[in-house]
Amino acid sequence: MLRILTQVLRTGIVTEPPPATDDAALEALGLELRRAIDARFGRSLALRHVDAGSCNGCELEIHALANPYYDLERFGVGFVASPRHADALLVTGPVSRHMETALRRTWRAMPSPKFVIAAGQCACDGGEFGVSYASCGAVENVLPVDVKIPGCPPAPDELIRGLLAALRVPA
Amino acid sequence: MSRSIGLSEFEARLQEAGIALGDDRRIASVRTRSIAASDWGPAAAVAMTFGCRWAGMWAEADHAHMRLYCVLDYAGDPLLLSAEAPLAAPEFTSQTPHFPAADRMERHARDLFGVIFVDHPDPRRWTRHCAWPEHWHPLHPAQAGDPPTPGRTPADVDYPFAAVHGNGVFEIPVGPVHAGIIEPGHFRFHAAGEPVLKLEERLGYVHTGIERLAVGRDPAGLARLAARVSGDSAVAHAWAACQAMERAAGIEAPPRALALRGLLAERERVANHLGDIGAICNDVGFAFAHVQTARLRERWQRRNRECFGHRLLMDTLVPGGVARDLPADAAEILRADHAALRREVEPLFDIIDDHPPLDDRLVGTGVLSQDNARALGCTGYLGKASGCGFDLRRDAPYAPYDALEVPLVTDGEGDTAARVRVRMAEVRASLDLMDQLLDATPSGETIAPLPVPPPDAAGLGRVEGWRGETLAWVRFDDEGRIARYFPRDPSWFYWPALERLILGEIVPDFPVCNKSVNGSYSGVDL
């Protein structure tokens, strides 16, 4: 226990904007996101993520949103395990034909109002995989998409910006 | 016994068993023997008895023939076996009865090419769900167009899972959409009370048609696609594909490019191991370790973007070399990073290695016996944690590793704790390797032009990715474009291992067992 406390104290709080991006910018972004969420969904935004055919690159960056540098939850954005608890569906990957029905069913299970956010190049326009015998391509070929976050994969700060844009979309 | 003598003796055994060996002269850079299609299975039986590791198979077809290739490894030395049958009757005897790991790759070839495996024990489809009909094969040369029935793809509801009968036995279907931010796949558990009696995996949900997308691409386009076979192995797959293309074209990347590729591969290894160590701890409720390693991983990825242009190192490798040279002051920055990470992980790994509540959950959980690891041909951290120390960087070194001392990392316990320990040891080892690479980075070019390879040229790429031995098979057409690409991710051997190591464990321990194995879905669904 002592070792853990020592490590925690030694580490301190690292939650801060990335050195590569502008300090004030990320902070402002987070606050704006916070305000938008307050206005639209009360106090929080619950996301359900579905990988519909991704290479797993986007998932790694979505995971990074939870690390102490971004700590997405402090802005009231969290990931939920059930689509029934979700306000928005975050979809990554081109939609593989084998995931098409699972994706539709996940979306149908969500209560309204609901958003669909296409995250990553493949979700936005099919990316490297496009439309083929195995792939439906972009998410919008399968579901109505409200917001697209391009990038291969989008970096965590780009994901935060995209989530903000999602909240600006009129319901 | 030196290696080549080992393979020569293996060939003698094949001949003793009545298997005629021919030369397949079209393939440069790897020892290749052709055999009859009916000898495909019997050759595997000899290989199994001789102690070869079965390292993968794939099909290839032209307008008249169906050809199969398989890689057999003996002490780091690869032998490529090939066999040919007429396209109209593509029948081969199955290798699955002798090497269990061949099961899914043979079924994959059956679904995608229409290869017929005589005496294959499992007639069920694997990669095919319901997006195309049974008798249409996306990689069969006579079926280049779209499948007969496009439109909405129904769910794959009637896949015949094996049943387990008995009093109190029940099924738990899980997936394809899981309750977290992970890739999709279906797990069918049979349990009686809490212990798992049987786990059957059903993958293929993220089949995006990579092998068909590769056809007709130029070399740069293939490298880009290879980096997206499995997003966590961008360097491993891109390197294997580039190596295959370079071998087919008869060139080698310049020494400086190879040193930088080594650096990139080790950076990928460190990032993934840090993420995995934390995620395993998190799956048993030890959030402290997860937050700490996520912090270190984030800093590492930011440096990736700064020095190499991409947080996950995608598109840093190109045919003939690397996309860009190291920035001028980067070597110093990276050296300081390595020292800092070494300092940071010591107290952290010390806690993870010896923290009683963590030990309670990880020690003895999900044991993969050495026999199982060997039978399935597991490499990487999964094999190493079960006593199979094979590592291409050490056992069949390629540049730049041929000039480095890659330490042997193994553990005999085979449990989840061992898989954590192996990852920690590999992080330390990679830090040392990266320092050595920086100290001895040759000067000179970082890219050599890739000449147009001779018509029909083929090459096999083989690198040690962070998950283990990663293969790539590339064949060119007459115009220097890609005619065939098959990436063989180590996960082909990881998934069957998970089905074995979960037996007898309780259902609630499945997430941590799965995380400790961490097979790639996209890497095998292709």
Side-chain angles (χ1 to χ4, degrees):
Chain A
M1 199 64 215
L2 195 59
R3 290 177 305 168
I4 295 177
L5 290 174
T6 310
Q7 176 72 14
V8 169
L9 286 173
R10 200 189 296 127
T11 307
I13 293 169
V14 301
T15 308
E16 61 181 14
T21 55
D22 188 84
D23 249 35
L26 186 75
E27 199 58 30
L29 191 66
L31 288 173
E32 204 185 328
L33 179 62
R34 177 71 268 163
R35 274 199 297 272
I37 292 169
D38 279 350
R40 281 306 275 286
F41 286 106
R43 290 191 170 74
S44 67
L45 177 70
L47 294 173
R48 170 66 241 207
H49 164 257
V50 171
D51 170 349
S54 148
C55 75
N56 202 26
C58 290
E59 286 65 45
L60 292 172
E61 293 298 57
I62 293 171
H63 271 293
L65 289 172
N67 77 38
Y69 283 87
Y70 302 105
D71 190 17
L72 187 67
E73 293 239 8
R74 75 187 141 139
F75 303 125
V77 181
F79 287 91
V80 291
S82 168
R84 307 226 181 258
H85 304 156
D87 304 310
L89 187 62
L90 184 68
V91 188
T92 54
V95 182
S96 78
R97 296 200 185 269
H98 293 170
M99 276 301 287
E100 187 183 348
T101 295
L103 179 65
R104 284 183 201 277
R105 285 182 184 170
T106 305
W107 181 75
R108 273 212 305 273
M110 291 169 59
S112 293
K114 56 189 171 189
F115 291 127
V116 176
I117 306 166
Q121 207 61 43
C122 299
C124 290
D125 62 11
E128 202 63 38
F129 302 99
V131 177
S132 74
Y133 78 94
S135 164
C136 305
V139 176
E140 66 188 357
N141 296 343
V142 176
L143 292 179
V145 170
D146 299 283
V147 173
K148 295 179 181 179
I149 309 176
C152 186
D157 47 344
E158 292 164 341
L159 285 165
I160 294 180
R161 273 191 199 96
L163 293 174
L164 176 63
L167 289 154
R168 287 211 194 100
V169 174
Chain B
M1 183 166 61
S2 95
R3 284 202 210 130
S4 53
I5 294 177
L7 274 188
S8 302
E9 198 179 318
F10 171 56
E11 290 182 357
R13 296 278 179 87
L14 286 173
Q15 281 162 329
E16 279 165 30
I19 296 169
L21 298 178
D23 281 326
D24 195 335
R25 294 187 189 283
R26 286 166 304 177
I27 293 127
S29 78
V30 56
R31 186 173 178 139
T32 309
R33 295 285 179 267
S34 63
I35 58 175
S38 56
D39 285 337
W40 194 245
V46 178
M48 203 268 294
T49 318
F50 192 74
C52 291
R53 179 172 59 87
W54 190 90
M57 68 80 54
W58 57 92
E60 194 179 81
D62 59 29
H63 59 282
H65 302 101
M66 184 72 73
R67 249 189 323 273
L68 296 189
Y69 290 97
C70 88
V71 179
L72 296 168
D73 182 284
Y74 190 76
D77 237 11
L79 175 69
L80 189 64
L81 275 188
S82 72
E84 197 172 82
L87 191 62
E91 284 193 8
F92 300 81
T93 46
S94 170
Q95 297 188 330
T96 302
H98 314 291
F99 287 107
D103 173 38
R104 287 171 186 173
M105 269 182 265
E106 289 192 340
R107 287 159 72 192
H108 179 78
R110 188 164 67 193
D111 287 349
L112 267 58
F113 279 90
V115 177
I116 297 162
F117 289 100
V118 180
D119 60 29
H120 191 291
D122 194 337
R124 296 174 300 169
R125 60 186 189 270
W126 178 250
T127 305
R128 181 173 69 84
H129 287 198
C130 300
W132 66 90
E134 187 179 350
H135 297 294
W136 184 82
H137 305 288
L139 293 173
H140 192 284
Q143 299 168 337
D146 285 328
T149 52
R152 283 194 187 185
T153 304
D156 187 23
V157 285
D158 53 2
Y159 181 78
F161 286 97
V164 177
H165 300 288
N167 229 353
V169 177
F170 58 95
E171 284 187 33
I172 312 174
V174 180
V177 177
H178 297 296
I181 303 165
I182 74 169
E183 297 181 88
H186 183 92
F187 301 114
R188 185 64 59 100
F189 296 93
H190 291 269
E194 286 202 306
V196 176
L197 297 177
K198 183 177 174 63
L199 162 65
E200 197 175 344
E201 296 151 357
R202 175 79 181 117
L203 304 181
Y205 285 93
V206 288
H207 175 65
T208 45
I210 284 176
E211 289 163 87
R212 204 165 115 158
L213 277 173
V215 176
R217 285 196 175 215
D218 61 8
L222 183 69
R224 213 167 49 241
L225 183 65
R228 286 155 184 83
V229 165
S230 179
D232 53 24
S233 304
V235 175
H237 278 292
W239 193 350
C242 288
Q243 201 185 61
M245 290 189 276
E246 288 152 12
R247 285 177 176 170
I251 64 156
E252 192 169 57
R256 184 170 176 82
L258 292 170
L260 292 178
R261 283 179 179 181
L263 195 62
L264 290 164
E266 297 312 313
R267 288 192 72 82
E268 182 168 273
R269 196 180 319 276
V270 168
N272 281 303
H273 282 344
L274 286 175
D276 275 5
I277 292 166
I280 292 166
C281 292
N282 196 46
D283 270 354
V284 293
F286 192 43
F288 161 80
H290 185 225
V291 173
Q292 292 284 338
T293 53
R295 171 177 71 89
L296 298 174
R297 184 187 153 104
E298 174 65 22
R299 289 214 310 238
W300 196 254
Q301 280 192 266
R302 288 178 183 189
R303 192 68 84 199
N304 280 349
R305 177 156 66 182
E306 233 174 270
C307 291
F308 302 97
H310 195 282
R311 283 169 55 93
L312 298 176
L313 304 174
M314 283 176 176
D315 307 325
T316 52
L317 278 80
V318 292
V322 290
R324 62 189 226 188
D325 203 351
L326 212 52
D329 55 345
E332 277 321 300
I333 293 173
L334 293 177
R335 254 192 218 98
D337 271 7
H338 302 164
L341 185 61
R342 217 177 262 119
R343 266 198 315 278
E344 291 257 24
V345 297
E346 276 325 310
L348 196 56
F349 285 0
D350 180 48
I351 294 168
I352 293 170
D353 203 24
D354 170 33
H355 184 60
L358 198 58
D359 291 347
D360 275 351
R361 295 295 306 279
L362 302 184
V363 173
T365 303
V367 175
L368 180 70
S369 70
Q370 186 170 4
D371 286 348
N372 272 334
R374 198 177 297 284
L376 292 170
C378 297
T379 58
Y381 52 80
L382 184 59
K384 287 170 183 167
S386 295
C388 303
F390 183 79
D391 188 321
L392 278 176
R393 297 172 300 168
R394 205 187 132 79
D395 297 310
Y398 48 101
Y401 298 106
D402 50 356
L404 303 178
E405 277 286 313
V406 180
L408 175 69
V409 175
T410 48
D411 201 298
E413 300 298 322
D415 57 358
T416 301
R419 291 188 280 279
V420 173
R421 282 196 298 273
V422 164
R423 284 171 166 102
M424 294 194 293
E426 289 206 329
V427 168
R428 295 188 180 104
S430 286
L431 286 169
D432 291 343
L433 289 173
M434 287 186 290
D435 277 343
Q436 292 179 46
L437 282 167
L438 285 176
D439 288 342
T441 315
S443 53
E445 297 295 318
T446 53
I447 186 162
L450 189 77
V452 177
D456 220 25
L460 179 70
R462 217 165 65 118
V463 302
E464 186 75 14
W466 75 277
R467 264 197 194 89
E469 184 200 50
T470 305
L471 305 183
W473 171 256
V474 175
R475 187 182 291 281
F476 285 95
D477 66 12
D478 298 347
E479 285 144 22
R481 293 191 165 268
I482 306 301
R484 177 80 177 114
Y485 169 55
F486 181 73
R488 203 280 286 131
D489 193 270
S491 304
W492 283 103
F493 310 113
Y494 277 36
W495 286 112
L498 178 63
E499 283 182 343
R500 295 190 182 195
L501 65 83
I502 196 64
L503 295 181
E505 294 298 335
I506 58 173
V507 177
D509 269 351
F510 176 72
V512 68
C513 289
N514 187 19
K515 190 70 225 179
S516 76
V517 173
N518 195 10
S520 166
Y521 298 68
S522 60
V524 300
D525 288 354
L526 299 177

